[in-house]
């Protein structure tokens, strides 16, 4: 029985399908869904000398945008879905932030967009997260064609 599934919210067709799957699992198990929006706030190359203030402002705006996105998604969910939302905004890659949140919580299932065929740096994408997740993972791909 699933009690605390987690969805890492992404955009696009695969992200919408992952949301639909997470809702179905949550309803079937009468669970409480946690929806995470992850910001990669590791400093970009341009935030070196002199770019720190612009980067800090961009981080604040991204955090507010993430909260608005989560609120919009939460408001569209069916009334029988218990939900928590969380914006992760650490100074680490997205996958590392999600892994840390999974280890902290009582989550028992992770729903994410399927990994890309292209590999990224450690802790960057869903492929890395799928390989390192301490809980079972359901992945969803965008429909072909």
């Amino acid at each position: 029985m699933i009690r605390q599934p987690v969805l890492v919210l992404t955009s696009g067709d695969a992200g919408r399908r992952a949301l639909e799957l997470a809702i179905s699992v949550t309803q079937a198990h009468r669970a409480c869904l946690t929806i995470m929006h992850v910001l990669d706030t590791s400093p970009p190359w341009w935030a070196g000398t002199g770019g720190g203030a612009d980067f800090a402002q961009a981080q604040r705006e991204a955090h507010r945008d993430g909260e608005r996105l989560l609120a919009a998604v939460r408001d569209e969910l069916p009334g029988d879905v218990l939900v928590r939302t969380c914006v992760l905004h650490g100074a680490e890659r997205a996958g590392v932030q999600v892994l840390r949140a999974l280890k902290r919580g009582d989550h028992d299932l992770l729903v994410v967009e399927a990994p890309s065929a292209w590999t990224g740096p450690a802790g960057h994408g869903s492929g890395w997260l799928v390989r390192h997740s301490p809980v079972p993972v359901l992945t969803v791909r965008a429909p072909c064609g």
Side-chain angles (χ1 to χ4, degrees):
M1 176 161 270
I2 309 253
R3 293 280 181 210
Q4 299 286 328
V6 173
L7 167 70
V8 177
L9 189 63
T10 56
S11 60
D13 290 340
R16 280 189 289 283
R17 291 184 70 203
L19 175 61
E20 291 167 4
L21 176 61
I23 290 169
S24 295
V25 167
T26 299
Q27 288 173 317
H29 292 271
R30 296 182 183 186
C32 179
L33 175 63
T34 299
I35 302 176
M36 294 180 180
H37 180 66
V38 188
L39 305 174
D40 184 350
T41 56
S42 53
W45 63 269
W46 54 264
T49 56
D54 292 338
F55 179 62
Q57 179 63 29
Q59 284 182 314
R60 285 190 295 277
E61 289 173 9
H63 191 271
R64 280 192 299 270
D65 291 345
E67 287 176 342
R68 281 193 287 272
L69 175 64
L70 286 172
V73 168
R74 181 194 60 228
D75 292 346
E76 292 178 11
L77 292 176
D80 64 336
V81 174
L82 293 172
V83 66
R84 291 183 288 193
T85 59
C86 176
V87 176
L88 299 178
H89 56 95
E92 303 164 311
R93 296 286 185 193
V96 174
Q97 292 181 62
V98 172
L99 187 62
R100 181 167 287 129
L102 286 172
K103 289 180 178 178
R104 261 193 326 258
D106 290 331
H107 308 294
D108 51 7
L109 178 70
L110 174 63
V111 181
V112 294
E113 182 176 332
S116 159
W118 305 103
T119 58
H124 185 65
S126 60
W128 181 88
L129 184 57
V130 167
R131 289 189 304 277
H132 291 85
S133 176
V135 299
V137 181
L138 291 177
T139 61
V140 179
R141 289 197 188 283
C144 296

